[in-house]
């Protein structure tokens, strides 16, 4: 197997849905990233890139294979292969994993991998009844048949289904994602205050990182506004005025009466994109690229759908086994914060052998995930979770932070709706 | 079927399976086929067959088509007009053409024009005489009657037949503006009966001729109502009144052709085809021989020449500039980024901070928004192009750039340092340019390690609207650099003009002479609005004070000082300039200058609807602006009344004189260059054919005499005739005869 290098890692700002990015045509959440990266390496020609792989969950219908649109609009040659992957919350990570595998096995030299999501522009769906009626109408030949088909119409058919709501509900266990977090909070006795404190800390870290310009090297600005005449350079979501008290005033959202998971201590629905350029050693030499980091390996593993939030434990555990690494050696963790309750649960269970066995079926404890090494620049609760992008976004942030603090090993991991976890081990080469 | 020995050199003709095919463009080498005398003679011969030979009378039909890709017929050969000696001759010519087209119209067998590509003027008039017009959906297909832009009118029955096909208001719009319609729009308007892919035009024409039923166009209720209405006397009156108002607003009544078109078309076809066409031919003939048309045709030829300027054959084949960057993100920089993004150069727009970058990005957005509003592009296209502009605070990506345009403020030392920095970031083949309007390009070039790749590239504000780009060469500049830039400017659909490095280059120096003198007039007590109006009535796009406000009074005064310093006493500024400077009014950008500007009136975009050609036909300043009351303190208390002609002379003569200096110094090579620059850089009265064309028309000796009169009565320093002017007068030559 060949080495796989990350030679560039960029992301857009992440913006709460319905705000600055609501009018950005979705492919443009990635096109600018590719162009920016290509601008760093004048020796890369438009025919040099073998493939473009992006993760995306809720693309508007006109972009059936959004990666192809991204590839062409970014100026890559028509011969460039492109496809779009979906592994729910880890779609972006799946894209990186596939690129890694292809380069490692010499099927490709240079691949753009990443993810993007505009949750502002997720489609509305007609109800099943309405859809059936439309099909009948299209089949109808005579006026009578048409009238009969119409006769079935009831006003409630018109109630649209929000695709995003469906996507966030597990078709197997029937719980929506927030309910899985409530379940973890109940079973592990995670209090409302613990969750709000965690959420508040995430906001503080994200705001500090923004203020000190720590995201500067990873963010590519995007033109926003109705006329595309403003330049957005930072995330829209982290609140500098956040406090545990204010978070404490919010009503539980998923279990309205007795629950503890609120909109405030969960990740907001968000728009954003992220992209990495992965290269083989040959490509690095041929195109004069600068390797920032090496992708050591990745792992995806399943857990019980109702405990989907615990996916990182099982995938990190498998990843460390595959690579022979230990938890102590890891300098930095980027674990997506879907819910404060969920990530607190991950931390609690990881260090406890009994809980590891009970919840994810591990024979021993994974080991401690120290808070000072976890999401040091804030996580999903503050920065948001653009579903298709988060899997690659956390790798982008991980690489840049590892380089900044000159750490060697970093793990990016996230839980995946439906009961899975994904994890990637990265070695910093810019020491 | 046997074809008689016809000896065709322009047209092709054959009869296949009972259908006659008449083809254009087979034997011409040029990319555009035009109708010349020979074409008309051959057409006449061929049409005779259909009237005299029995076998032709029973054909299924006649199809007109073109062998040349991208061109059906680009209209009559314009140089034919210049050979006309008298109104009578022009009248005869028009009538001959009309008779020919009448015979097409009167054929008993059906006729079809298959238009794939450009179809203009006499070409469209021919199609209008056919029973059916089919257009292709190719992007090159474009239909129109642009005669008005040459100061004439469609004289082969176009003003007669177009209203019948597309309704009177549409016909007036097309004939008065000269604008062209793409295939689909022509179809929507009813000018073309059908629209097909190019490959299927001829097969579909055959199908229509063989099965007329297949193509029976039913005239709908809407059509009959609108026909009824426009035949109504009162409705016609209203239509013409509206059209006339529009013309007067746009041209201030300075242009003869649109007014004549209105008179002709208002007379209407009521007295029959023969009478109407007689009038059309008469109107055409009068216009064709007019000075205005000669002036406008001069511009056409100048433009045509600019498109194929003589390149040195020994220079290696010039590169295409694929990627661009603009340094300095003000209104100008934003306009340049817009221009580059328009031509798919994915420009990097660089400045020190995001606040400045937003000024540029906003300017580009304003330009695109107005294109979207005019439905020239879709919102999706806007998004693509707007997002292709990359705002950056660093030089990231500069190594991939082929062309850099610098557009920061005018400071020689800072610019020099900037060029050194840019040179260290870009590839060795990258061309570096400055958009300076007043500083020495040669001096800037000295800052570069490789000055051969450096040149001046002077755009005019607003970039999106002003067609002219001055390309400024300097002694160390490589010919390839100029060559490549020239082609690039053409590719961005602008008009390039190569000038030598000299203060203010061509256009601003001539404007400098104009503005300086306008301030003297103000000081003498002539009312500000009288001066501006006199200039508008002469046909300038703007009066001097509106112009000063647009340019920025501070900048103009600064440049004026440079002229005075470098060019001497004829540029001595009026004492009033000093007071103006102290008043510290900036012009439009500061909200007040000579006039007051309210912020709400679309800032940035100078607001005139319409494109470049409309602009140069002399609109502007049509909404009255209020004069800045602060000026009162510095203006003379007593006003003097000066007649319009004297004001015009006082301002135009120094411009002509300065142009003479420029020619003598070799800043540009010919009088045509001066005129091209003034028309496309300032919108100088196009109907006058340009500044020096006007001088030639007026007579150089008269110009000199008037200069001398002013030299003794006003100022010997400012009005002394330039040596070249005197020389021309002595040698009895015109500016247009001058060769360096």
């Amino acid at each position: 197997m060949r080495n796989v290098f990350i030679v560039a890692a960029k992301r857009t700002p992440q913006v709460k849905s319905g705000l600055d990015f609501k009018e950005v045509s979705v492919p443009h959440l990635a096109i600018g990233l590719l162009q920016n990266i290509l601008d760093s390496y004048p020796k890369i020609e438009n025919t040099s890139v073998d493939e473009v792989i992006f993760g995306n969950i809720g693309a508007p219908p006109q972009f059936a294979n959004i990666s192809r649109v991204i590839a062409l609009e970014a100026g890559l040659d028509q011969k460039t292969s492109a496809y779009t992957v979906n592994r729910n919350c880890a779609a972006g990570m799946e894209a990186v994993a596939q690129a890694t595998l292809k380069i490692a096995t010499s099927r490709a030299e240079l691949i753009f991998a990443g993810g993007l999501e505009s949750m502002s522009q997720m489609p509305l769906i007609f109800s099943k009844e309405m859809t059936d009626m439309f099909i009948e109408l299209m089949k109808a030949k005579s006026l009578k048949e048409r009238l009969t088909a119409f006769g079935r119409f009831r006003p409630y058919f018109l109630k649209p289904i929000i695709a995003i709501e469906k996507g966030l509900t597990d078709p197997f266990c029937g719980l929506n994602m927030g309910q899985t977090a409530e379940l973890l909070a109940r079973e592990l006795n995670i209090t409302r205050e613990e969750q709000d404190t965690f959420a508040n800390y995430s906001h503080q870290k994200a705001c500090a990182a923004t203020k000190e310009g720590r995201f500067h090297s990873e963010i590519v600005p995007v033109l926003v506004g109705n006329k595309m005449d403003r330049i957005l350079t930072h995330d829209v979501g982290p609140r500098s005025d956040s406090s545990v008290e204010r978070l404490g005033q919010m009503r539980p959202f998923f279990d309205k009466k007795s629950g503890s998971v609120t909109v405030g201590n969960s990740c907001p629905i968000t728009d954003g994109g992220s992209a990495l350029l992965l290269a083989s050693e040959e490509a690095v030499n041929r195109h004069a690229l600068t390797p920032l980091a090496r992708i050591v390996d990745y792992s995806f593993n399943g857990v019980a759908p109702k405990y989907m939030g615990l996916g990182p434990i099982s995938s990190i555990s498998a990843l460390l086994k595959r690579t022979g690494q230990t938890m102590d050696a890891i300098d930095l963790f980027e674990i997506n914060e879907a819910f404060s309750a969920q990530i607190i649960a991950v931390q609690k269970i990881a260090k406890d052998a009994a809980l590891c066995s009970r919840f994810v079926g591990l024979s021993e404890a994974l080991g401690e995930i120290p808070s000072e090494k976890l999401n040091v620049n804030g996580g999903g609760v503050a920065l948001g979770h653009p579903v298709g992008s988060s899997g690659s976004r956390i790798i982008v942030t991980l690489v840049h932070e590892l380089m900044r603090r000159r750490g060697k090993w970093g793990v990016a991991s996230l839980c995946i709706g439906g009961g899975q976890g994904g994890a990637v081990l990265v070695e910093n080469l810019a020491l | 079927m046997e074809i008689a020995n016809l000896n065709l050199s322009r047209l092709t003709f054959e009869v296949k399976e009972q259908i006659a095919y008449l083809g254009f463009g087979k034997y011409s080498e040029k990319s555009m086929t035009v109708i010349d005398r020979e074409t008309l003679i051959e057409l006449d011969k061929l049409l005779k067959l259909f009237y005299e030979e029995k076998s032709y009378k029973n054909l299924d039909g006649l199809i007109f088509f073109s062998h040349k890709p991208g061109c059906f017929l680009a209209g009559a050969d314009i140089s034919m007009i210049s050979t006309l000696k008298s109104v009578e001759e022009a009248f005869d010519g028009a009538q001959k053409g009309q008779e020919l087209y009448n015979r097409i119209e009167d054929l008993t067998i059906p006729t079809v024009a298959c238009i794939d590509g450009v179809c203009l003027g006499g070409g469209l008039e021919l199609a209008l005489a056919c029973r059916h017009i089919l257009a292709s959906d190719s992007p090159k297909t474009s239909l129109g009657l642009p005669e008005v832009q040459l100061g004439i009118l469609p004289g082969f029955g176009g003003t007669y037949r177009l209203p019948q096909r597309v309704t009177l208001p549409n016909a007036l719009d097309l004939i008065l503006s000269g604008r062209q319609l793409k295939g689909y729009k022509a179809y929507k308007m009813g000018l073309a009966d059908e629209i097909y892919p190019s490959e299927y035009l001829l097969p579909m024409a055959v199908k229509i001729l063989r099965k007329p039923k297949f193509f029976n166009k039913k005239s709908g209720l809407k059509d009959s109502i609108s026909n009824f209405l426009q035949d109504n006397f009162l409705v016609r009156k209203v239509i013409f009144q509206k059209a006339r108002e529009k013309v007067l607003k746009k041209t201030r009544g300075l242009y003869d052709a649109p007014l004549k078109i209105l008179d002709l078309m208002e007379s209407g076809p009521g007295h029959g085809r023969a009478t109407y066409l007689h009038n059309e031919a008469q109107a055409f003939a009068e216009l064709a021989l007019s000075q205005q048309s000669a002036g406008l045709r001069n511009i056409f030829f100048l433009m045509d020449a600019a498109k194929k300027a003589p390149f040195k054959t020994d220079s290696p084949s010039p590169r295409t500039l694929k990627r661009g960057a603009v340094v300095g993100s003000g209104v100008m920089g934003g306009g340049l980024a817009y221009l580059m993004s328009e031509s798919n150069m994915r420009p990097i727009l660089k400045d020190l901070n995001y606040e400045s970058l937003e000024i540029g990005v906003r300017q580009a957005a304003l330009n695109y928004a107005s294109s979207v509003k005019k439905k020239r592009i879709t919102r999706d296209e806007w998004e693509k192009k707007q997002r292709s502009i990359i705002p950056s605070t660093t030089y990231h990506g500069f190594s991939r750039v082929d062309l850099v345009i610098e557009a920061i403020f005018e400071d020689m030392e800072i610019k020099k340092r900037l060029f050194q920095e840019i040179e260290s970031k870009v590839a060795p083949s990258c061309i570096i340019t400055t958009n300076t309007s007043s500083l020495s390009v040669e001096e800037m070039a000295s800052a570069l390690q490789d000055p051969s790749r450096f040149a001046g590239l002077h755009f005019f504000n607003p970039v999106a609207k002003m067609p002219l780009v001055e390309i400024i060469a300097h002694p160390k500049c490589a010919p390839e650099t100029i060559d490549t830039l020239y082609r690039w400017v053409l590719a961005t659909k602008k008009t390039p003009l190569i000038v030598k490095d000299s203060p203010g280059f061509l256009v601003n120096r001539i404007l400098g002479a104009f503005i300086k003198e306008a301030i003297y007039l103000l000081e003498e007590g002539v009312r500000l609005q009288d001066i501006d109006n006199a200039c508008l009535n002469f046909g300038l796009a703007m009066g001097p004070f509106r112009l000063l406000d647009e340019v920025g009074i501070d900048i103009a005064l600064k440049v004026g000082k440079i002229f005075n310093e470098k060019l001497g006493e004829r540029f001595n500024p009026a004492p009033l300039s000093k007071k103006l400077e102290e008043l510290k009014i900036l012009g439009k950008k500061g909200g007040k200058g000579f006039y007051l500007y309210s912020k709400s009136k679309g800032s940035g975009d100078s607001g005139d609807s319409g494109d470049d050609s409309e602009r140069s036909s002399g609109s502007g300043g049509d909404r009255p602006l209020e004069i800045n009351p602060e000026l009162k303190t510095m203006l003379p208390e007593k006003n003097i009344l000066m007649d319009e002609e004297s004001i015009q002379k006082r301002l135009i003569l120094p411009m002509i004189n300065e142009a003479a200096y420029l020619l003598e110094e070799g800043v540009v090579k010919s009088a045509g260059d001066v005129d091209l620059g003034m028309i496309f850089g300032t919108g100088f009265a196009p109907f006058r054919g340009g500044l020096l064309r006007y001088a030639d028309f007026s007579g150089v000796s008269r110009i000199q005499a008037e200069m001398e009169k002013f030299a003794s009565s006003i100022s010997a320093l400012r009005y002394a005739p330039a040596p070249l002017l005197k020389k021309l007068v002595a040698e009895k030559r015109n500016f247009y005869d001058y060769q360096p």
Side-chain angles (χ1 to χ4, degrees), chain A residues 13-15 30 37 54 58 68 92 119 166 169 172 189 196 204 215 232 247 278 285 304 313 334 341 384 393 401 430:
Chain A
Q14 302 207 127
V15 179
I37 291 170
F54 269 78
R68 177 69 175 162
M119 301 182 78
K166 287 279 161 194
T169 303
F172 185 77
N189 194 22
D196 287 346
Q204 282 176 358
F215 289 137
L232 186 74
L247 287 165
L278 304 184
N285 293 331
I313 301 175
E334 275 293 334
R393 196 282 295 172
E401 185 56 34

Side-chain angles (χ1 to χ4, degrees), chain A residues 188 190 309-317 320 327-328 333 335 342-360 362-370 374:
Chain A
L188 286 155
I190 300 167
L310 304 180
I313 301 175
S314 119
S315 61
I316 293 173
S317 159
L320 295 183
M327 283 297 273
D328 295 340
F333 291 91
I335 303 180
Q342 165 260 331
I343 193 130
I344 294 168
V346 167
Q347 277 186 297
K348 273 196 174 163
I349 294 169
K351 61 186 174 195
D352 185 310
L355 291 176
C356 271
S357 151
R358 187 180 129 203
F359 280 91
V360 281
L362 292 182
S363 52
E364 54 188 350
L366 171 65
E368 191 175 356
I369 304 169
L374 175 65

Side-chain angles (χ1 to χ4, degrees), chain A residues 129 177 356:
Chain A
E129 293 89 337
M177 295 301 120
C356 271

